[in-house]
Amino acid sequence: MMFRHPYLLFLLLLLVPLAVWYVLKWRNSNPSLGVSSVSSLKAYRATFKVWMMHFCFMLQLAAAAAVIVALARPQTHDSLRSSSIEGTDIVLALDISSSMLATDIQPNRIEAAKEVASKFVSQRSNDNIGYVVFSGESLSLMPLTTDKAALVNAISSTRTGALNDGTAIGDGIASAINRLVTGQAKSKSIILLTDGTNNAGDVAPSTAAQIARQKGIRIYAIGVGTNGTISITDPYGFSTTTMETKIDEGALTGIAEATGGKYFRATDSRMLRHVFEEIDSLEKSKINVNNFTQTEENFMPWILAALCALCLQFLLRYTLLRRIP
């Protein structure tokens, strides 16, 4: 049994001073008479009615206690909960080539990608997520983990220039596959985020996609930014250069469709957020939860007990203990 307002039970402490007051009042209310000897009165004991008067006071205290307990709202809860949660294994593969410093997406492509990726990771509480970066080569930064704080820290600390420059999309996919094959979940997917065309690495993107399909891994490819001449500012803001970029949308679409995934294009921060929101809805963990909760109020028996105590007290007062002025 639980109480809706348990703090009201502290009112029961007020009954203690009431009991002390009654005892002191009873002792001081007896009349006295001076006599030479009480030896002849030793055989006399308190009458039955005296004890009944004490009993009436106890009934009053019991009624007050029952009312306080009823005000605290005693309740019983019946709850049945059965849930089946199946997590998903996901690896985020992020392009960190120098072109990701382009400012066509504010503040730049890589910072915008890191922001939405971190938010995506934080919302996937039931999944194992890994993290791979690539440019001219690939590097696995985080294995599959449920430690979302460590994963977000790894994403936020990612910088361009850590690897040889270039765009090795196939190598990035291959590194992500190596992480996913160790996972235990039935659903496995790669979120590939890049802004260019494969021009480096040892594994062709189409070959990596075929391996992913054989392993039952879906690839969600995201093309970030606009095609054409872009401005690139170094991380310290000292110099700005321009370069030509072109996203190979045909290759990225083929990679995604070959594995049962989907290709997305994001040319600004708003679209990038919407892409991750859509992927989040496509790759939701399967949760089957049946909840049954029933709350039953149990204050009525205490109210009835208080009424019975008061009725019995009044009955004794006006019958057996009735006083005639």
Side-chain angles (χ1 to χ4, degrees):
M1 183 174 65
M2 301 177 62
F3 294 91
R4 179 72 178 272
H5 308 297
Y7 54 88
L8 292 179
L9 295 177
F10 286 108
L11 294 175
L12 293 173
L13 297 176
L14 297 177
L15 302 182
V16 177
L18 287 177
V20 174
W21 168 80
Y22 177 81
V23 172
L24 295 178
K25 176 185 176 183
W26 181 264
R27 288 182 177 178
N28 298 329
S29 64
N30 292 331
S32 60
L33 176 66
V35 294
S36 59
S37 176
V38 295
S39 57
S40 60
L41 303 176
K42 289 182 178 181
Y44 290 94
R45 296 289 184 268
T47 64
F48 174 75
K49 289 186 176 182
V50 173
W51 293 109
M52 292 302 297
M53 292 177 63
H54 297 329
F55 180 68
C56 285
F57 179 74
M58 293 177 62
L59 288 175
Q60 292 176 343
L61 291 182
V67 170
I68 291 173
V69 173
L71 290 175
R73 296 279 298 277
Q75 300 173 335
T76 56
H77 297 276
D78 294 326
S79 179
L80 175 63
R81 180 185 179 91
S82 60
S83 61
S84 177
I85 299 176
E86 181 182 349
T88 301
D89 289 342
I90 301 174
V91 171
L92 176 65
L94 177 63
D95 186 349
I96 61 169
S97 59
S98 59
S99 60
M100 290 291 287
L101 293 173
T103 56
D104 54 342
I105 298 180
Q106 295 297 320
N108 56 46
R109 293 176 178 178
I110 191 169
E111 291 300 325
K114 286 161 53 177
E115 179 183 353
V116 294
S118 296
K119 183 178 180 181
F120 174 83
V121 166
S122 300
Q123 294 174 342
R124 308 289 299 195
S125 57
N126 297 319
D127 301 324
N128 287 315
I129 302 180
Y131 182 45
V132 170
V133 295
F134 65 94
S135 54
E137 53 189 340
S138 64
L139 177 65
S140 179
L141 292 183
M142 289 289 292
L144 292 175
T145 180
T146 57
D147 189 346
K148 300 306 186 291
L151 192 55
V152 169
N153 288 335
I155 294 173
S156 63
S157 61
T158 301
R159 298 291 183 270
T160 59
L163 302 172
N164 294 330
D165 204 15
T167 306
I169 297 175
D171 285 10
I173 296 175
S175 295
I177 293 173
N178 288 334
R179 285 301 186 188
L180 284 170
V181 293
T182 62
Q184 301 299 318
K186 295 180 180 179
S187 176
K188 302 177 186 293
S189 57
I190 297 171
I191 301 176
L192 174 70
L193 195 148
T194 182
D195 68 343
T197 302
N198 187 78
N199 56 21
D202 300 323
V203 181
S206 58
T207 302
Q210 293 300 320
I211 297 173
R213 185 176 66 176
Q214 293 173 4
K215 300 292 184 181
I217 299 171
R218 287 186 297 274
I219 298 178
Y220 296 98
I222 306 173
V224 183
T226 57
N227 291 326
T229 303
I230 58 173
S231 298
I232 298 176
T233 302
D234 70 274
Y236 304 101
F238 294 134
S239 63
T240 301
T241 59
T242 59
M243 65 179 297
E244 292 288 330
T245 63
K246 179 177 176 57
I247 300 175
D248 191 350
E249 294 192 86
L252 293 177
T253 302
I255 290 170
E257 293 180 350
T259 61
K262 190 175 181 180
Y263 170 71
F264 303 89
R265 181 69 186 276
T267 57
D268 55 41
S269 298
R270 180 182 59 83
M271 292 179 64
L272 188 58
R273 288 193 296 270
H274 288 170
V275 167
F276 270 88
E277 289 173 1
E278 183 171 351
I279 294 175
D280 184 59
S281 65
L282 292 172
E283 284 296 323
K284 279 293 185 184
S285 299
K286 298 177 182 179
I287 304 176
N288 298 318
V289 179
N290 294 320
N291 293 325
F292 171 77
T293 301
Q294 181 179 359
T295 301
E296 183 178 352
E297 298 284 352
N298 291 327
F299 65 88
M300 188 55 67
W302 297 94
I303 295 294
L304 293 176
L307 289 175
C308 291
L310 289 176
C311 290
L312 180 59
Q313 187 263 342
F314 281 118
L315 181 64
L316 292 175
R317 285 286 186 187
Y318 291 102
T319 56
L320 184 62
L321 302 177
R322 186 180 60 178
R323 295 181 180 181
I324 301 177

